Amino acid sequence: MGEIEGTYRVLQTPGSRLGVQKTMGVSTLEPGQNLSTAMASLPAKTQERDLPIKIKMLDNTVEVLDIEFFVELQPFLTGPKTTVLRLAVKFFPPDPGQLQEEYTRYLFALQIKRDLAEERLTCSDNTAALLVSHLLQSEIGDFDESEDREHLKTNQYFPNQERIEGKILEFHRKHVGQTPAESDFQVLEIARKLEMYGIRFHLASDREGTKINLAVSHMGVLVFQGNTKINTFNWSKVRKLSFKRKRFLVKLHPEVCGPYQDTLEFLLGSRDECKNFWKICVEYHTFFRLFDQPKPKAKALSSLMLKNPLGSNPTFQVNLNAAGQGSSPLLSPVLSDAGGARVEEDDEMKRKRCPADKAYFIAKEILATERTYLKDLEVITVWFRSAVIKENAMPEGLMTLLFSNIDPIYEFHRGFLKEVEQRLSLWEGRTNAYMKGDYQRIGDVMLRNMRTLKVDKAYLQKHDEVLTELEKATKRLKKLEMVYKEFELQKVCYLPLNTFLLKPIQRLMHYKLILGRLCKHYTAEHRDFADCRNALKEVTEMTSQLQHSLIRLENFQKLTELQHDLIGIDNLTAPGREFIREGCLHKLTKKGLQQRMFFLFSDMLLYTSKGVTGTNQFKIHGHLPLHGMLVEESENEWAVPHCFTIYSAQKTIVVAASTRLEMGKWMEDLNMAIEMAKKSTEKSDIFLKPVLNSPPPGSSDEVSLEQESEDDTHSSRSSLDRQSHHRANTTMHVCWYRNTSVSMTDHSVAVENQLSGYLLRKFKNSNGWQKLWVVFTNFCLFFYKTHQDDYPLASLPLLGYAVSAPVEADGIQKDYVFKLQFKSHVYFFRAESKYTFERWMEVIKRATSSPARSSLLLPKDEKDSHTD
């Protein structure tokens, strides 16, 4: 008896987990058409016959359906009369536990059971025993040794399962009280972590003739040698998929492979096999990556129809040709507003279904920001590791120091993220009403993991050494320096590289703030309050121990970032030096006011111009020691708005700020830094590399007017849109183009105000809303298509932008919308709830508007008394 495996998209299957599922047929009727009208349209000479078809369901029951076919089609129905069609899962999502319907999760668990029995889901004996134990709990309930042994005799879950029967029983004994739904969830949780989860091999060979297996998953096209995955071509890296006879071709984006060999070629057994695999890839990409599928063209009525023997109306339709219609689904859409209306409707439906409790949205914020945090860790643990290994650029000792500290942190947070995802999935569950009371909380998950993190905090305490040694090595080893700089130009490194090394300590600060909001929201009697309060206590203890270290590390990180972007200074990270402010001022020269970037430190003031070189670095024009410096407002003297004069021992310069507020910030910080330098008992022993031949020092009231080079005058007329390949989102570049400044205090505030999540975005003159995954960090919004993407599609630096609610003239008739505006540039963003809307408004306002310095310079005990 032959078996043909049919596929079925089961993501929204209605029905009860424990109820009897009605048999459903597949209809090829057009909307609004019934069987009678369809038959009337057929030629009179066509004769009907019935053919019974057996369909094996996921639970191994067999249903028989009668197919009406016509004599004209008989030559095409050449299969054996004993053929059995098997219902199967087609698309395997990365986290099946988040499927909304309990019955759908049950069907996925049945597929895992089938794959385990048929050796498609290869795993260790221990994992197999654990999976089988959960399947037993789901099917026969709590542990009973005699019943378990009897059941295992008559049911084969795993080849040669007699070898692991003892382990199965040992595991099953621990699941007492676990419901079938919970057991299904555990099966999916275990299975999704296995490398062979959802994998279906297609035999092929590479250009050298080496035998390999190709497969496709939610993330892209996979290449295996035996059962070992040797390569992954993410959808974000793939430009085009095609086939030519037996050859399967993968065309990559140029930035992935460089200018050479952008097309990979694999040879399959036949043209049909090649076309079949290509079609599966297109369908997977369409299912997991496209928000709007191209609509299929109208077609003539198909001649195959399935009759439901129970006579009920079919509840789903299958169109096998839909994926092939329209333009190629592998041409990833850019950030446009196409298809916004449908996204909007789907979002409305989801909003109505989700819990409305504020605690739920706070927990969802934990989930969203944790997803971003894990992606940030992967920049180091996956991408940077790959870059240095490929070039053999890092000494073994430094490799050990770096990755032995970051890897355990990454592994911990992978597990933590899965726990949070599982809890949110159960919290949102539609059919688990009887279980909701146990799962509508997050404090227990936070407490358990904060205690684990507290035990492992030794890894966090070594970050100081890691940052320092990495910086020393990049100065000492030219090969590592080259790999470091080239890596920072990759899309995946969307922030300065060493910023990612600070994320673990900064993440603790985020946990503290989020847990504080939960404790404030709950009443003392709430069942989640005690766990949240205890988790807050644990994380507060850790942050208090690491706070001083974090301040020092953030300063060191900023100095090293500037070291890479400034030409003309070699020892910016000298001990004792602190960064205070960076920003754009206009300096008075012989040619008039010229744009300059100024950098204020605890011992000196640097001013620079932006070169027109390929790297877009800033070239130092001069440095002024703070010792003996004096700053005075001088608007009246020079008839220039927002103008002030800086007198130093070397020279006197006149500068103008863009606004009076900017002038006030600079003068306040300069005066504060000068006072601090005065109080310093030791004179600085830092010797800066000479950059320019400075003119002879003049008297204190003489203004130095320098001759500007051609490079300098051209550079001031550049625009953000004309940035070259160097990092354009560092704050210095944004300050340059937005004519503003940022202080170290602003950086510290921005670290606390980071956020991630899905938002709907609309341009000022567009109609539709587009759903995007948005990450706010380092004063910038980064846009992704989904939270699983490795790098952003686009970004929007927010320095200089104002955030507000829309006004009536904007014509926005939706709730929870905020507006971002810089001059004529206007964007609207729509959140899913009141809480989420308020959080986005709050973090953007705090991170993009500098608070009064006086409130930030209070002694710690005095500041605490003001906030209580």
Side-chain angles (χ1 to χ4, degrees), residues 652-663:
T652 301
I653 61 174
V654 177
V655 293
S658 58
T659 65
R660 186 158 189 83
L661 177 63
E662 274 294 303
M663 180 184 76

Side-chain angles (χ1 to χ4, degrees), residues 492-504:
V492 73
C493 190
Y494 69 102
L495 300 172
L497 177 58
N498 57 11
T499 303
F500 295 102
L501 289 170
L502 295 184
K503 295 287 184 179

Side-chain angles (χ1 to χ4, degrees), residues 169-236:
L169 299 181
E170 181 184 340
F171 283 130
H172 190 199
R173 191 189 304 270
K174 299 175 182 178
H175 305 329
V176 174
Q178 191 169 279
T179 67
E182 291 172 316
S183 299
D184 293 341
F185 192 98
Q186 292 303 322
V187 168
L188 300 180
E189 274 296 291
I190 297 163
R192 77 183 181 102
K193 300 171 190 175
L194 299 174
E195 189 157 64
M196 298 304 293
Y197 162 69
I199 297 300
R200 303 292 183 257
F201 280 155
H202 297 257
L203 298 177
S205 57
D206 61 16
R207 278 180 170 166
E208 287 73 42
T210 305
K211 296 296 180 186
I212 58 170
N213 290 311
L214 295 179
V216 64
S217 74
H218 69 279
M219 63 170 51
V221 180
L222 315 176
V223 184
F224 287 79
Q225 209 157 39
N227 283 346
T228 304
K229 184 165 64 176
I230 59 173
N231 215 334
T232 301
F233 301 107
N234 287 344
W235 296 128
S236 57

Side-chain angles (χ1 to χ4, degrees), residues 64 71 87 181 307 346 349 421 439 441 519 551 644 648 659 681 710 764-765 771 808:
V64 179
V71 172
L87 194 67
K307 289 197 302 189
D346 289 353
M349 294 298 293
E421 286 175 338
Y439 294 111
R441 57 195 175 111
C519 289
I551 293 170
F644 58 99
S648 78
T659 65
T681 54
E710 282 298 308
K764 179 172 63 174
N765 297 318
K771 188 173 184 179
E808 189 176 344

Side-chain angles (χ1 to χ4, degrees), residues 581 661-662 665 740-743 745-746 779 799 845-853 856:
R581 181 174 288 276
L661 177 63
E662 274 294 303
K665 290 177 185 177
T740 188
S741 69
V742 170
S743 70
T745 302
D746 298 330
F779 311 100
L799 287 175
K845 275 183 179 176
R846 284 186 178 176
T848 55
S849 59
S850 299
R853 173 160 296 282
L856 294 159

